[in-house]
């Protein structure tokens, strides 16, 4: 078997019919978890913008919190710039998620999964209600913060949760998170275009966190030993039915000793990871986190620093319409590539990093020299950009799950989730001077 076949092959499925049904049930469950976890966050941003605009139509603060609507108050720059870069929105949205992902892997193991999901459910419901009934700008912003907390804690927890199941649940998770970007914006647009107010639209969408809770508590088929409401130190990996020889421990120096101890006493219990162990695992995860972070840095540098500057005044599409299509095609690309894990896997994460950086350089030059003929060329590029970003995400977590040792896998999946958020936050900060420079031309 050559390397390509090895990368794209999973352990042979020797389960009976009932086992296969459970696997598909879990895969569908993770698809719904991915969809619902990110869905509310996507919708919340659009809805908060609309409600803020209505609440504070006389308040210039609103203009610092909208994406497309800010384009209506442009300056005299040749780029039809917004008063404030859309990176300001991104930075405010990503910080709660980033803080959770940076800190939670070191203590979240003390909180059982059942309680974590309840927190995700409650904060999601609170976010919808706060933004729906908000009477001030500050209250709406807190609603968005609650949505960010729910999404960040959910992503970290569900990626960790995947180690209790067959690895194909990552296929469902990736596809579901990709569908959230397209479905969230689309459904909200349909509701508002149908004449519903943003408040009513958000109230209807309270069904989303309900589906998340139902999918977790009633759809997933948990292993008998799963610690739903308590913590257990018993080995919980699904690797008993997989080829354990493919695991490559990230803590190399202690792996052999632990292996000998486990063989010697036949004990399946795994001692808890110490803080030092976790730091060593984080170091080993660098080969995954750094490329993923760079992919998302370049990706969101394009999305928040350059997209609004890629304006073609001679096009039949207005500036806001061009921007909407950029974002929509990007999300479609993300959905397709995050679903690709069902069909093939790509181990070369650095390749995605290189290609995405090329995209960022190309579009930076295009913004400066304005040599692209029309927005249709940009449509193709941003769709391709979404393909690269989505593929980098799902393949990163697939190979972390595949290549880490049993004892490390749950922590590794949670800790690595910081990669994309860190890249997004850094890109938001970097986009401010870029936006200021181009808008001053």
């Amino acid at each position: 078997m050559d390397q390509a076949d090895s990368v794209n092959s999973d352990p042979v499925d020797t389960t009976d019919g009932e086992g296969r049904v459970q696997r598909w049930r879990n895969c569908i469950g993770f698809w719904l978890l991915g969809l619902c976890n990110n869905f509310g966050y996507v919708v919340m941003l659009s809805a908060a913008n609309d409600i803020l605009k209505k609440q504070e139509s006389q308040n210039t603060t609103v203009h610092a919190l909208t994406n497309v609507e800010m384009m209506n108050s442009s300056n005299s720059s040749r780029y039809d710039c917004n008063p404030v870069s859309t990176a300001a929105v991104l930075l405010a949205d990503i910080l709660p998620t980033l803080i959770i992902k940076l800190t939670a892997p070191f203590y979240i193991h003390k909180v059982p999964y059942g309680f974590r999901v309840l927190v995700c459910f409650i904060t999601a419901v609170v976010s919808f209600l706060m933004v729906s009934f908000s009477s001030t700008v500050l209250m709406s912003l807190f609603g968005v913060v609650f949505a960010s907390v729910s999404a960040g804690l959910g992503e970290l927890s569900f990626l960790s949760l995947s180690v209790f199941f067959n690895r194909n649940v990552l296929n469902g998770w990736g596809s579901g998170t990709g569908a959230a970007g397209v479905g969230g914006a689309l459904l909200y647009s349909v509701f508002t275009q149908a004449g519903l107010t943003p408040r009513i639209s958000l109230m209807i969408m309270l069904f989303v966190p309900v589906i998340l809770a139902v999918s977790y508590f009633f759809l997933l088929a948990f292993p008998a030993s799963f610690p739903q409401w308590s913590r257990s130190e018993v080995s919980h990996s699904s690797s008993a039915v997989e080829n354990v020889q493919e695991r490559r421990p990230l803590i190399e120096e202690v792996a052999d000793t632990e292996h000998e101890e486990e063989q010697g006493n036949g004990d399946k219990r795994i001692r808890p990871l110490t803080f030092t162990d976790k730091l060593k695992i984080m170091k080993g995860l660098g080969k995954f986190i750094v490329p993923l972070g760079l992919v998302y840095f370049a990706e969101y540098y394009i999305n928040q620093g350059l997209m609004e500057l890629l304006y073609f005044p001679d096009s039949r599409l207005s500036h806001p319409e061009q921007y909407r299509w950029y974002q929509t095609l990007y999300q479609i690309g993300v959905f397709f590539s995050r679903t690709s894990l069902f069909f093939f896997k790509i181990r070369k994460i650095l390749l995605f990093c290189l290609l995405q950086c090329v995209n960022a350089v190309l579009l930076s030059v295009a913004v400066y020299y304005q040599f692209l003929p029309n927005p249709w060329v940009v449509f193709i590029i941003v769709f391709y950009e979404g393909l690269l970003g989505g593929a980098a995400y799902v393949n990163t977590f697939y190979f972390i799950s595949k290549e880490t040792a049993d004892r490390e896998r749950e922590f590794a999946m949670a800790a690595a989730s910081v990669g994309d958020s860190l890249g997004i936050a850094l890109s938001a900060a970097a986009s401010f001077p870029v936006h200021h420079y181009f808008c001053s031309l």
Side-chain angles (χ1 to χ4, degrees), residues 19-286:
R20 293 191 186 95
V21 170
Q22 284 194 349
R23 286 194 177 188
W24 277 105
R25 176 179 163 184
N26 289 332
C27 189
I28 293 171
F30 269 84
W31 191 90
L32 289 171
L33 290 175
L35 175 70
C36 296
N37 186 70
N38 288 21
F39 188 96
Y41 181 61
V42 171
V43 170
M44 195 57 55
L45 299 183
S46 300
N49 291 339
D50 288 341
I51 291 177
L52 284 171
K53 184 183 177 185
K54 181 178 179 180
Q55 291 169 348
E56 301 288 337
S57 58
Q58 305 299 321
N59 192 333
T60 56
T61 304
V62 177
H63 298 296
L65 296 169
T66 60
N67 290 331
V68 176
E69 302 300 337
M70 285 196 302
M71 296 178 181
N72 296 326
S73 56
S74 58
N75 61 23
S76 59
S77 166
R78 61 176 175 167
Y79 296 104
D80 191 31
C81 291
N82 298 319
V84 179
S85 168
T86 53
V89 182
L90 178 65
L91 192 59
D93 296 337
I94 199 64
L95 283 179
T97 293
L98 178 61
I99 292 172
I100 289 173
K101 290 183 177 181
L102 279 172
T103 61
F106 293 96
Y107 59 80
I108 199 67
H109 62 281
K110 298 179 180 179
V111 182
Y113 280 95
F115 290 114
R116 296 191 217 176
V117 175
L118 286 178
V119 171
C120 293
F121 168 77
I122 292 171
T123 52
V125 170
V126 169
S127 69
F128 278 108
L129 293 176
M130 286 190 71
V131 177
S132 295
F133 293 102
S134 62
S135 57
T136 65
V137 173
L138 185 61
M139 186 174 177
S140 292
L141 289 178
F142 270 112
V144 176
V145 168
F146 273 102
S148 179
V149 169
S150 177
L153 177 61
E155 181 180 15
L156 178 146
S157 297
F158 294 132
L159 283 171
S160 296
L161 179 71
S162 68
V163 308
F164 292 89
F165 300 89
N166 183 273
R167 206 161 44 236
N168 69 357
V169 298
L170 290 173
N171 303 358
W173 168 262
S175 179
T177 56
V182 179
L186 179 62
L187 187 60
Y188 180 76
S189 297
V190 169
F191 283 168
T192 53
Q193 288 296 319
L196 297 177
T197 64
R199 173 172 295 180
I200 297 299
S201 299
L202 283 177
M203 294 298 293
I204 294 174
M205 290 185 186
L206 279 170
F207 73 88
V208 174
V210 173
I211 293 177
L212 182 143
V214 170
S215 299
Y216 178 81
F217 288 108
F218 299 102
L219 182 57
L220 295 182
F222 293 97
S225 60
F226 179 72
Q228 183 72 270
W229 303 105
S230 62
R231 292 303 302 166
S232 172
E233 303 303 334
V234 178
S235 176
H236 49 253
S237 173
S238 61
S239 63
V241 294
E242 299 177 0
N243 182 6
V244 295
Q245 291 181 348
E246 67 188 0
R247 311 293 176 182
R248 295 200 292 270
L250 296 172
I251 312 178
E252 299 289 352
E253 60 268 34
V254 299
D256 292 338
T257 301
E258 291 176 355
H259 180 64
E260 291 173 0
E261 290 176 354
E262 291 175 1
Q263 284 187 328
N265 56 27
D267 189 0
K268 293 183 179 180
R269 295 179 65 85
I270 299 178
R271 72 172 178 84
L273 293 170
T274 65
F275 182 76
T276 302
D277 290 338
K278 292 179 179 180
L279 291 180
K280 291 177 180 177
I281 293 174
M282 288 292 292
K283 181 179 178 180
L285 286 171

